[in-house]
């Protein structure tokens, strides 16, 4: 993870360190060094706008930097870069973990998972169900994807394996009605949370977008979670914007971080999403869901 762009950041630090050990840093120095490393950032899948944003922010932070003779120029540069990127990464921290929200929130606490096709919604629901169970909370999983063949069975299999209550609907059934059934079940059985899986949809599919609006209107979720695939870069940022406009997005779960070998795609999403990142998916197992941890990412990017 972050392998390729880690090299680019280490070159950035070294080159700026060299520049500052001779004289005070100027905007031109920073442009020159950025021009030299820009291609490797882009090749590492960092979005063009993100490269530009970093260039401007680092200019603000670094121009005028002076190092005393025999001072540690590279160390001073690294510290400033860490401050800038660390600050950006910290913006994504969610105020509260889902476990706390469920524990402290209304009972049952209702969560809708949404996103485009194949980003990992169903897998993520199973992981979240497992996480709640481990913390002594009882969820019900609701298959409100009545659209895609196999979707109901896929979720049912997870629920059975995990020993979690499960509510399904018939193919073609109204997803809002299925979601409501899940809510009624949770109320009757005194469960803590309702986790609602929805069909993958593109913003261009007006029927499906109308359908997710209806689910939200009918069950009034306490949390609307958008699932995004780390490999999709800029497109993920656009997806979050569409869903935010359509139904509102409270927080994001970023999946497949383990599969983003270069790292720039995930980094670009994290730096430009403008929403709290509640968890990251780091594999296909039930345990492969981690809280978003900015300092761990910063270490991977800038660590020596
Ligand atoms: N490596 C990796 N694979 C993941 C992760 N999360 C999900 N996947 C895989 O991504 C694929 C799609 O996952 P699903 O959970 O079916 O995605 P979905 O969003 O429900 O898909 P649709 O219902 O068709 O829209 C599966 O092969 C999952 O195992 C993750 O964090 N890491
Ligand atoms: Mg699914």
């Amino acid at each position: 993870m972050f392998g390729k762009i880690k090299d680019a950041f280490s070159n950035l630090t070294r080159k700026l360190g060299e520049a500052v050990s001779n004289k005070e840093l100027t905007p031109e120095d920073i442009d020159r060094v950025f021009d030299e490393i820009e291609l490797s950032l882009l090749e590492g899948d960092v979005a063009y706008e993100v490269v530009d944003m970093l260039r401007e922010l680092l200019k603000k932070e670094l121009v005028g930097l002076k190092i005393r003779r025999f001072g540690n120029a590279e160390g001073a540069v690294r510290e400033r870069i860490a401050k800038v990127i660390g600050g950006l990464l910290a913006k994504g921290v969610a105020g509260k973990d889902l476990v706390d929200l469920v524990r402290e929130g209304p009972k049952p606490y209702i969560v809708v998972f949404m996103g485009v096709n194949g980003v990992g919604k169903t897998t993520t629901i199973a992981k979240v169900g497992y996480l709640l169970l481990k913390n002594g909370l009882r969820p019900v999983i609701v298959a409100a994807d009545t659209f895609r063949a196999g979707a109901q069975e896929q979720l049912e299999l997870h629920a059975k394996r995990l020993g979690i209550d499960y509510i399904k609907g018939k193919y073609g059934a109204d997803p809002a009605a299925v979601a409501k059934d899940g809510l009624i079940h949770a109320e009757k059985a005194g469960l803590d949370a309702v986790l609602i899986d929805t069909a993958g949809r593109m913003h261009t599919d007006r029927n499906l977008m109308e359908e997710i609006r209806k689910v939200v209107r009918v069950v009034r979720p306490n949390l609307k979670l958008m699932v995004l695939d780390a490999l999709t870069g800029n497109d993920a940022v656009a997806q979050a914007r569409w869903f935010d406009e359509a139904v509102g997005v409270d927080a994001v779960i970023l999946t497949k971080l383990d599969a983003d070998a270069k790292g720039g795609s995930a980094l670009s999403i994290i730096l430009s999403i403008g929403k709290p990142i509640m968890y990251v998916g780091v594999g296909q197992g039930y345990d492969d869901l981690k809280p978003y941890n900015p300092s761990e990412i910063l270490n991977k990017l800038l660590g020596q």
Side-chain angles (χ1 to χ4, degrees):
M1 218 189 294
F2 299 117
K4 172 122 192 162
I5 57 172
K6 182 177 160 58
D7 289 345
F9 279 111
S10 120
N11 279 335
L12 175 75
T13 313
R14 185 176 47 77
K15 289 179 181 211
L16 286 173
E18 279 163 15
V20 78
S21 46
N22 300 327
K23 60 178 188 49
E24 197 171 299
L25 272 186
T26 65
E28 292 72 30
D29 289 328
I30 293 171
D31 276 332
R32 177 178 50 77
V33 171
F34 251 89
D35 289 345
E36 285 168 19
I37 65 140
E38 183 171 78
L39 189 62
S40 50
L41 285 176
L42 295 173
E43 280 173 356
D45 294 335
V46 180
Y48 191 79
E49 301 86 270
V50 171
V51 176
D52 256 6
M53 174 177 80
L54 289 176
R55 181 197 287 255
E56 291 316 310
L57 286 174
L58 288 181
K59 253 187 218 167
K60 274 198 197 129
E61 184 67 33
L62 288 169
V63 166
L65 180 64
K66 244 189 321 205
I67 304 291
R68 271 182 296 134
R69 274 183 81 188
F70 310 117
N72 178 359
E74 199 171 321
V77 167
R78 181 177 296 107
E79 206 174 281
R80 304 279 180 110
I81 296 178
K83 184 179 154 202
V84 167
I85 298 179
L88 292 171
L89 291 172
K91 285 188 188 162
V93 174
K96 269 188 184 165
D97 187 69
L98 185 59
V99 173
D100 294 331
L101 289 173
V102 170
R103 232 177 234 144
E104 297 161 15
K107 193 171 167 169
Y109 190 85
I110 306 162
V111 189
V112 169
F113 293 74
M114 54 199 183
V116 308
N117 304 78
V119 291
K121 295 176 293 298
T122 303
T123 310
T124 301
I125 290 210
K127 291 176 181 176
V128 168
Y130 177 66
L131 176 72
L132 293 178
L133 271 189
K134 267 201 312 196
N135 283 278
L137 295 163
R138 292 169 64 215
V140 57
I141 288 180
V142 187
D145 180 354
T146 57
F147 186 73
R148 181 173 64 76
Q152 301 275 322
E153 292 75 12
Q154 184 190 1
L155 198 53
E156 185 168 22
L157 191 67
H158 285 305
K160 281 193 175 147
R161 269 192 208 143
L162 292 167
I164 293 179
D165 283 18
Y166 171 78
I167 297 290
K168 62 180 166 184
K170 289 206 173 64
Y171 279 101
D174 180 358
V178 181
K180 185 80 185 176
D181 283 349
L183 177 53
I184 292 168
H185 173 80
E187 281 166 350
K188 270 199 200 138
L191 302 182
D192 300 293
V194 185
L195 308 177
I196 302 169
D197 192 13
T198 62
R201 69 202 70 217
M202 292 299 291
H203 69 303
T204 43
D205 193 325
R206 290 186 49 200
N207 288 340
L208 281 172
M209 286 311 275
E210 198 40 58
E211 188 189 276
I212 188 90
R213 277 197 201 97
K214 185 170 171 196
V215 170
V216 165
R217 229 172 23 239
V218 169
V219 301
R220 297 162 165 272
N222 303 98
L223 191 71
K224 286 164 284 181
L225 278 179
M226 174 96 200
V227 182
L228 297 172
D229 177 336
L231 298 171
T232 59
N234 260 357
D235 202 46
V237 179
Q239 289 162 21
R241 210 164 287 141
W242 305 327
F243 278 76
D244 200 28
E245 277 164 23
V247 287
V249 170
D250 298 315
V252 161
I253 294 183
L254 192 58
T255 63
K256 311 188 195 180
L257 220 63
D258 54 304
D260 184 12
K262 297 180 188 168
S265 178
L267 184 72
S268 299
I269 298 172
I270 294 169
L271 296 187
S272 25
I273 193 73
K275 291 280 176 194
I277 300 165
M278 197 164 253
Y279 296 106
V280 294
V282 292
Q284 307 196 27
Y286 294 131
D287 235 342
D288 293 326
L289 186 76
K290 307 284 173 218
Y292 166 65
N293 184 341
S295 49
E296 195 183 318
I297 295 177
L298 192 64
N299 263 333
K300 285 202 171 122
L301 285 176
L302 299 181
Q304 284 154 307

